[in-house]
Amino acid sequence: MAKDTPTPASNGETGTKNFIHDLIDTDIADGGRFASMTVHTRFPPEPNGYLHIGHAKAIVIDFGTAEKYNGLCNLRMDDTNPSKEDVEYVDAIKRDIRWLGFDWGDRFFYASDYFEQMYEFARTLIQKGLAFVCEMTPEQMRESRGTLTEPATASPWRDRPVAESLDLFERMKAGEFADGAMTLRARIDLNSGNFNMRDPVLYRISRAHHHRTGDAWCIYPMYDFAHPIEDAIENVTHSLCSLEFEDHRPLYDWVIANIDPPSKPRQIEFARLGINHTVMSKRKLRQLVETGRVNGWDDPRMPTLGGLRRRGYTPQSIRSFIERIGVSKVVSTVDYAFLEHCLRENLNAEAQRTMAVIRPVRLVIDNYPDDLSEIFEVENNPERPEDGTREVSFSKELWIESTDFVEDPPRKYFRLFPGNEVRLKSAYVVRCTGCDKDDNGQVTTVHAEYDRETRGGNTPDGRRIKGTIHWVDTRTAATAEVRLYDNLFDVADPDSAEHNFLDHINPDSLQVLTDCKVEAALAQAELPASFQFMRLGYFCLDPDSRPGKPVFNRSVSLKDSYKPKQ
RNA sequence: UGGGGUGUCGCCAAGCGGUAAGGCACGGGACUUUGACUCCCGCAUGCGUAGGUUCAAAUCCUGCCACCCCAGCCA
């Protein structure tokens, strides 16, 4: 039976603790502005690409934190840059979050819902003398920004009269100026060591067509101005984001402090997820797709949620993984093996066992009657007896795994070799008598003789049979295609300074086997379905399957402690 | 050479002044009709480093070192 996995967060409100929860606890206990508020978080993806497992971490943290505190978590599309966004992604994002098992209730929002309010807040800043319309070109702005050690130089428009900025900003909105001709900038601190505070741009002019507001606007707010307002409008108390926004927090707080917001959220940053042997940035994933190195965003080798789903990863396994890696501010890279462990753990408890021979070779039981056929009862899942049994047919000729026979065995090999006894799972014990080979020396048929006293795989005389192998009856077997996967990259850190990820695609990351023999019932499997192919791993049905022509993906192999000796 | 962060086992990660949890990986062993699962056992005299405070320091103080992020009209 499944063991007690230390993942309290997955089955209750108690949950694991992390530094974010410590901070929230303090916020609740210190009698400050959050003391009597409902903990409210949000997951704010920009709809410009597909979600990957890194987003799953943020999702689990955002929704999980709300759940832990009996609070709320909103889903919000952060759509403030129309040139990159599309509705196509909005739907995919919602589907992926639902698939993970999270629910935003009726709190689905768009940043673009607040464009009008943001515009008014911007006017407020201008009126307070805290923002001005700047006419510098992008190049001029870059040159005046200063360096790590030198302060920025002031924009010539920095001290423009309030009325003038107000007028210009209104005309920016009205479409009087060309894209890029002007910006609205905050007036903060040119000497700050933090670039974000050196009069950051708040609004830019862009005629890009917005996927929701169409052409209603030609000015769009920048993230730094928009995000705190979005959070404040939605009554978010704790705005959780990744480490690279730490430098933006002073600006986030500055906006909140100067606009008289509906509420005053607090930003807390955590380390984003890194996993070895893969890449985790939209830009790089996009390159893999666009250069044809993978077959789309949902290629089973991709770390996208769509790819993982197609690979056979279950929502439970992904959530368990995220909950168990913890949350901290240390830039870290988790072992891919840990993700695999979480999947195996989940599927071991859930997946029905079946026999499939992916590299078949014929086994002939010479002393078995030519025309006899028997039916054996095989348990569906030894971890879960209540799942019952299924009937599997058996006859004189079977398919067995070619790797389960060798003429000249290494030490400690206890599968088939001339003279050795092996158990055919749930059927009979057979003794290998030899093999036939073709002109190239390839084994074409393995021969054996069965012991009729061992029906069901039992040994009434009590003798120990070290090896048990899987098999499929040639008379009833169905043929299937099986796709085996390995790391997409052949180095652990494809995303590092040492490696260009595009030069390190693992040539063996996908292996297609087209003539696999499976239990007949598998040809009838319907999506979604995961099985354990005994001794081979966990496999799921792929959408490429056609009637009578099933395709299976190996989600993860079984652990294998067998090491060939000498 | 500015600002912001982070350093506890190969990889994650607890720890919040009282004498180093846990998981993954790895190595042994038991069990086994999956070389799977499960179960045992092992795995940091040590917490980036050097000092200091204290009866007591991974935890407090000081210096140093290393690594990550920041100069988009991206998010």
Side-chain angles (χ1 to χ4, degrees):
Chain A
M1 201 55 245
K3 61 273 116 161
D4 50 318
T5 46
T7 56
S10 62
N11 51 39
E13 303 67 40
T14 30
T16 46
K17 264 190 85 72
N18 58 52
F19 81 97
I20 294 175
H21 300 328
D22 290 341
L23 293 174
I24 293 177
D25 286 343
T26 303
D27 283 342
I28 292 171
D30 70 4
R33 68 177 141 110
F34 299 112
S36 59
M37 290 184 72
T38 295
V39 171
H40 205 141
T41 60
R42 103 271 88 120
F43 175 62
E46 180 182 19
N48 67 346
Y50 294 94
L51 260 30
H52 54 65
I53 193 168
H55 294 106
K57 177 174 181 179
I59 291 167
V60 170
I61 290 172
D62 290 331
F63 282 90
T65 296
E67 190 176 312
K68 177 186 171 77
Y69 288 92
N70 236 298
L72 300 168
C73 180
N74 299 354
L75 172 58
R76 178 172 73 223
M77 296 297 144
D78 207 0
D79 57 349
T80 57
N81 183 4
S83 66
K84 297 181 169 183
E85 299 151 7
D86 198 283
V87 277
E88 167 196 359
Y89 301 117
V90 174
D91 298 329
I93 288 169
K94 291 169 95 170
R95 181 199 55 186
D96 286 344
I97 298 172
R98 279 202 203 92
W99 177 69
L100 281 178
F102 293 102
D103 181 11
W104 52 86
D106 58 358
R107 294 174 315 284
F108 173 65
F109 305 113
Y110 290 91
S112 53
D113 291 340
Y114 317 130
F115 281 171
E116 198 64 53
Q117 292 164 83
M118 290 172 185
Y119 177 73
E120 287 308 320
F121 280 128
R123 284 172 48 84
T124 302
L125 288 181
I126 296 172
Q127 278 157 350
K128 288 182 169 180
L130 296 175
F132 62 97
V133 170
C134 178
E135 297 176 43
M136 293 174 98
T137 64
E139 304 75 58
Q140 290 172 323
M141 218 180 275
R142 196 182 322 119
E143 285 159 14
S144 68
R145 198 164 0 247
T147 67
L148 294 181
T149 52
E150 303 157 35
T153 53
S155 159
W157 325 98
R158 192 169 202 256
D159 295 314
R160 160 127 72 193
V162 167
E164 199 176 304
S165 280
L166 234 29
D167 174 61
L168 253 16
F169 187 48
E170 203 173 308
R171 289 161 62 193
M172 278 169 65
K173 183 193 179 211
E176 287 189 30
F177 310 112
D179 285 13
M182 296 178 184
T183 58
L184 180 72
R185 288 227 261 166
R187 199 170 186 279
I188 309 181
D189 181 5
L190 299 171
N191 295 306
S192 175
N194 182 346
F195 285 99
N196 297 306
M197 301 301 270
R198 324 240 268 217
D199 289 5
V201 171
L202 265 24
Y203 267 89
R204 75 283 216 182
I205 302 173
S206 169
R207 287 269 163 193
H209 186 81
H210 191 282
H211 65 103
R212 289 192 72 242
T213 61
D215 300 314
W217 294 83
C218 65
I219 58 171
Y220 291 93
M222 298 290 288
Y223 167 88
D224 285 309
F225 178 66
H227 210 83
I229 293 175
E230 296 159 22
D231 287 338
I233 289 173
E234 293 179 15
N235 241 287
V236 165
T237 55
H238 298 272
S239 185
L240 313 178
C241 63
S242 45
L243 247 31
E244 64 268 32
F245 290 101
E246 270 182 315
D247 288 345
H248 296 247
R249 181 160 19 101
L251 181 49
Y252 182 101
D253 291 340
W254 182 90
V255 171
I256 291 299
N258 290 295
I259 62 165
D260 189 27
S263 74
K264 297 185 179 225
R266 171 184 184 180
Q267 174 179 303
I268 299 173
E269 312 83 12
F270 58 86
R272 59 197 317 164
L273 173 64
I275 298 180
N276 59 19
H277 290 289
T278 190
V279 294
M280 206 77 89
S281 81
K282 272 180 200 167
R283 199 193 108 244
K284 293 194 171 73
L285 294 175
R286 184 180 303 281
Q287 273 182 273
L288 292 172
V289 173
E290 289 175 354
T291 61
R293 270 165 251 238
V294 297
N295 306 312
W297 287 96
D298 68 342
D299 185 298
R301 293 167 291 183
M302 292 281 273
T304 50
L305 292 180
L308 290 166
R309 177 168 50 233
R310 187 164 178 183
R311 176 76 170 264
Y313 273 83
T314 58
Q316 302 94 296
S317 69
I318 292 172
R319 287 178 64 160
S320 164
F321 170 73
I322 299 296
E323 283 157 6
R324 292 160 71 179
I325 55 174
V327 181
S328 74
K329 303 190 68 150
V330 184
V331 175
S332 58
T333 305
V334 179
D335 245 310
Y336 184 75
F338 188 51
L339 214 208
E340 292 189 315
H341 165 79
C342 293
L343 212 218
R344 287 195 191 100
E345 178 179 77
N346 182 214
L347 259 17
N348 176 51
E350 311 271 324
Q352 178 173 322
R353 273 57 171 169
T354 184
M355 293 194 283
V357 176
I358 62 173
R359 294 183 175 88
V361 66
R362 188 177 299 267
L363 173 70
V364 177
I365 302 168
D366 293 298
N367 64 340
Y368 193 85
D370 287 348
D371 48 6
L372 182 60
S373 210
E374 291 183 79
I375 299 293
F376 290 106
E377 289 285 313
V378 185
E379 72 275 17
N380 284 326
N381 186 347
E383 301 289 321
R384 217 158 59 174
E386 65 271 28
D387 282 0
T389 60
R390 67 187 185 284
E391 298 186 332
V392 178
S393 78
F394 178 93
S395 65
K396 186 185 181 77
E397 296 197 2
L398 310 172
W399 295 115
I400 61 168
E401 213 64 63
S402 59
T403 50
D404 283 340
F405 169 79
V406 62
E407 257 194 302
D408 186 20
R411 289 177 52 73
K412 290 287 202 63
Y413 181 88
F414 39 86
R415 279 110 94 153
L416 282 172
F417 57 86
N420 191 44
E421 268 195 327
V422 140
R423 172 165 36 236
L424 296 173
K425 170 70 184 172
S426 295
Y428 286 106
V429 171
V430 298
R431 182 180 298 280
C432 181
T433 55
C435 67
D436 300 335
K437 291 191 253 185
D438 62 18
D439 296 340
N440 300 318
Q442 283 294 306
V443 175
T444 53
T445 302
V446 177
H447 290 276
E449 293 186 342
Y450 84 119
D451 174 354
R452 71 198 64 209
E453 299 305 311
T454 60
R455 211 190 124 83
N458 303 301
T459 50
D461 62 358
R463 71 182 189 278
R464 291 247 172 268
I465 306 296
K466 283 292 280 179
T468 298
I469 66 174
H470 58 283
W471 51 273
V472 178
D473 186 355
T474 58
R475 291 190 192 170
T476 57
T479 298
E481 175 175 319
V482 167
R483 299 172 184 169
L484 304 179
Y485 301 97
D486 195 355
N487 294 325
L488 218 205
F489 298 98
D490 57 19
V491 289
D493 54 345
D495 201 359
S496 64
E498 294 88 277
H499 302 118
N500 177 341
F501 72 109
L502 292 176
D503 295 335
H504 285 277
I505 303 287
N506 174 5
D508 300 319
S509 62
L510 168 63
Q511 195 177 154
V512 179
L513 304 175
T514 55
D515 191 32
C516 306
K517 305 300 183 184
V518 303
E519 286 185 35
L522 276 182
Q524 260 63 58
E526 287 178 15
L527 242 27
S530 278
F531 302 90
Q532 183 195 88
F533 286 3
M534 296 194 71
R535 303 208 301 136
L536 298 176
Y538 296 97
F539 294 72
C540 69
L541 196 63
D542 187 88
D544 283 348
S545 298
R546 294 290 169 266
K549 175 69 162 69
V551 177
F552 293 96
N553 294 318
R554 180 157 70 186
S555 310
V556 63
S557 66
L558 247 32
K559 280 181 62 174
D560 183 5
S561 63
Y562 171 64
K563 309 165 206 65
K565 302 285 193 293
Q566 65 111 32

Short mmCIF file of all heavy atoms in Angstrom, two decimals, chain A residues 292-311:
data_model
loop_
_atom_site.label_atom_id
_atom_site.label_comp_id
_atom_site.label_asym_id
_atom_site.label_seq_id
_atom_site.Cartn_x
_atom_site.Cartn_y
_atom_site.Cartn_z
N GLY A 292 12.17 23.60 -34.50
CA GLY A 292 11.83 22.22 -34.80
C GLY A 292 12.62 21.19 -34.02
O GLY A 292 12.62 20.01 -34.37
N ARG A 293 13.28 21.61 -32.96
CA ARG A 293 14.03 20.63 -32.18
C ARG A 293 13.12 19.76 -31.34
O ARG A 293 13.49 18.68 -30.90
CB ARG A 293 15.07 21.34 -31.31
CG ARG A 293 16.39 21.48 -32.07
CD ARG A 293 17.33 22.48 -31.42
NE ARG A 293 17.40 23.63 -32.28
CZ ARG A 293 18.51 24.11 -32.82
NH1 ARG A 293 19.67 23.56 -32.55
NH2 ARG A 293 18.47 25.14 -33.60
N VAL A 294 11.91 20.26 -31.12
CA VAL A 294 10.89 19.42 -30.47
C VAL A 294 9.63 19.57 -31.32
O VAL A 294 9.54 20.46 -32.17
CB VAL A 294 10.58 19.87 -29.02
CG1 VAL A 294 11.80 19.71 -28.14
CG2 VAL A 294 10.07 21.31 -28.99
N ASN A 295 8.69 18.68 -31.10
CA ASN A 295 7.47 18.70 -31.91
C ASN A 295 6.36 19.48 -31.24
O ASN A 295 5.31 18.94 -30.93
CB ASN A 295 7.03 17.26 -32.18
CG ASN A 295 8.14 16.44 -32.80
OD1 ASN A 295 8.79 16.88 -33.75
ND2 ASN A 295 8.39 15.26 -32.24
N GLY A 296 6.59 20.75 -31.01
CA GLY A 296 5.53 21.58 -30.45
C GLY A 296 5.65 21.81 -28.95
O GLY A 296 6.47 21.20 -28.27
N TRP A 297 4.79 22.71 -28.49
CA TRP A 297 4.80 23.09 -27.06
C TRP A 297 4.43 21.93 -26.15
O TRP A 297 4.76 21.92 -24.98
CB TRP A 297 3.81 24.24 -26.82
CG TRP A 297 4.30 25.54 -27.36
CD1 TRP A 297 4.01 26.10 -28.57
CD2 TRP A 297 5.19 26.46 -26.70
NE1 TRP A 297 4.66 27.30 -28.70
CE2 TRP A 297 5.39 27.55 -27.58
CE3 TRP A 297 5.84 26.47 -25.46
CZ2 TRP A 297 6.20 28.63 -27.25
CZ3 TRP A 297 6.64 27.54 -25.14
CH2 TRP A 297 6.82 28.61 -26.02
N ASP A 298 3.71 20.96 -26.68
CA ASP A 298 3.31 19.84 -25.82
C ASP A 298 4.11 18.58 -26.15
O ASP A 298 3.69 17.48 -25.84
CB ASP A 298 1.81 19.58 -25.95
CG ASP A 298 1.43 19.05 -27.33
OD1 ASP A 298 2.25 19.19 -28.26
OD2 ASP A 298 0.34 18.48 -27.46
N ASP A 299 5.28 18.76 -26.75
CA ASP A 299 6.17 17.62 -26.94
C ASP A 299 6.44 17.03 -25.56
O ASP A 299 6.72 17.77 -24.61
CB ASP A 299 7.48 18.10 -27.59
CG ASP A 299 8.42 16.94 -27.92
OD1 ASP A 299 8.84 16.23 -26.97
OD2 ASP A 299 8.72 16.74 -29.11
N PRO A 300 6.34 15.70 -25.43
CA PRO A 300 6.50 15.09 -24.11
C PRO A 300 7.86 15.33 -23.45
O PRO A 300 8.03 15.05 -22.27
CB PRO A 300 6.30 13.59 -24.40
CG PRO A 300 5.41 13.58 -25.59
CD PRO A 300 5.88 14.74 -26.44
N ARG A 301 8.79 15.88 -24.20
CA ARG A 301 10.09 16.20 -23.60
C ARG A 301 10.14 17.59 -23.01
O ARG A 301 11.10 17.98 -22.35
CB ARG A 301 11.20 16.07 -24.65
CG ARG A 301 11.43 14.66 -25.12
CD ARG A 301 12.28 14.62 -26.37
NE ARG A 301 11.55 15.18 -27.51
CZ ARG A 301 12.03 15.22 -28.74
NH1 ARG A 301 13.24 14.73 -29.00
NH2 ARG A 301 11.32 15.73 -29.73
N MET A 302 9.10 18.38 -23.29
CA MET A 302 9.08 19.77 -22.83
C MET A 302 8.64 19.88 -21.37
O MET A 302 7.79 19.11 -20.92
CB MET A 302 8.13 20.58 -23.71
CG MET A 302 8.61 20.75 -25.14
SD MET A 302 9.86 22.04 -25.27
CE MET A 302 8.76 23.47 -25.48
N PRO A 303 9.20 20.86 -20.65
CA PRO A 303 8.79 21.07 -19.25
C PRO A 303 7.52 21.90 -19.15
O PRO A 303 7.14 22.32 -18.06
CB PRO A 303 9.99 21.80 -18.66
CG PRO A 303 10.51 22.61 -19.81
CD PRO A 303 10.32 21.74 -21.04
N THR A 304 6.87 22.12 -20.28
CA THR A 304 5.58 22.83 -20.23
C THR A 304 4.56 21.93 -19.57
O THR A 304 4.69 20.70 -19.59
CB THR A 304 5.09 23.14 -21.66
OG1 THR A 304 5.15 21.93 -22.43
CG2 THR A 304 5.96 24.20 -22.33
N LEU A 305 3.53 22.52 -19.01
CA LEU A 305 2.50 21.68 -18.39
C LEU A 305 1.84 20.81 -19.46
O LEU A 305 1.49 19.66 -19.21
CB LEU A 305 1.48 22.56 -17.66
CG LEU A 305 2.08 23.28 -16.42
CD1 LEU A 305 1.03 24.14 -15.73
CD2 LEU A 305 2.66 22.27 -15.44
N GLY A 306 1.71 21.37 -20.66
CA GLY A 306 1.15 20.57 -21.75
C GLY A 306 2.05 19.40 -22.11
O GLY A 306 1.57 18.29 -22.40
N GLY A 307 3.34 19.62 -22.10
CA GLY A 307 4.29 18.55 -22.40
C GLY A 307 4.30 17.49 -21.32
O GLY A 307 4.30 16.29 -21.59
N LEU A 308 4.30 17.94 -20.07
CA LEU A 308 4.30 17.00 -18.96
C LEU A 308 3.02 16.18 -18.93
O LEU A 308 3.04 14.98 -18.67
CB LEU A 308 4.47 17.76 -17.64
CG LEU A 308 5.85 18.38 -17.42
CD1 LEU A 308 5.82 19.38 -16.27
CD2 LEU A 308 6.88 17.28 -17.14
N ARG A 309 1.92 16.83 -19.26
CA ARG A 309 0.64 16.12 -19.27
C ARG A 309 0.67 15.03 -20.34
O ARG A 309 0.28 13.90 -20.10
CB ARG A 309 -0.49 17.13 -19.58
CG ARG A 309 -1.87 16.52 -19.69
CD ARG A 309 -2.95 17.61 -19.69
NE ARG A 309 -2.68 18.67 -20.64
CZ ARG A 309 -2.65 19.97 -20.33
NH1 ARG A 309 -2.91 20.37 -19.11
NH2 ARG A 309 -2.37 20.86 -21.26
N ARG A 310 1.18 15.39 -21.51
CA ARG A 310 1.24 14.41 -22.59
C ARG A 310 2.24 13.30 -22.28
O ARG A 310 2.10 12.17 -22.72
CB ARG A 310 1.64 15.12 -23.88
CG ARG A 310 1.56 14.22 -25.09
CD ARG A 310 1.57 15.01 -26.37
NE ARG A 310 1.54 14.13 -27.53
CZ ARG A 310 1.59 14.55 -28.79
NH1 ARG A 310 1.67 15.85 -29.04
NH2 ARG A 310 1.57 13.69 -29.77
N ARG A 311 3.26 13.63 -21.53
CA ARG A 311 4.25 12.65 -21.12
C ARG A 311 3.66 11.66 -20.13
O ARG A 311 4.18 10.56 -19.93
CB ARG A 311 5.44 13.39 -20.50
CG ARG A 311 6.53 12.52 -19.93
CD ARG A 311 7.39 11.92 -21.02
NE ARG A 311 8.57 11.28 -20.44
CZ ARG A 311 9.76 11.86 -20.33
NH1 ARG A 311 9.94 13.08 -20.79
NH2 ARG A 311 10.77 11.23 -19.78
#
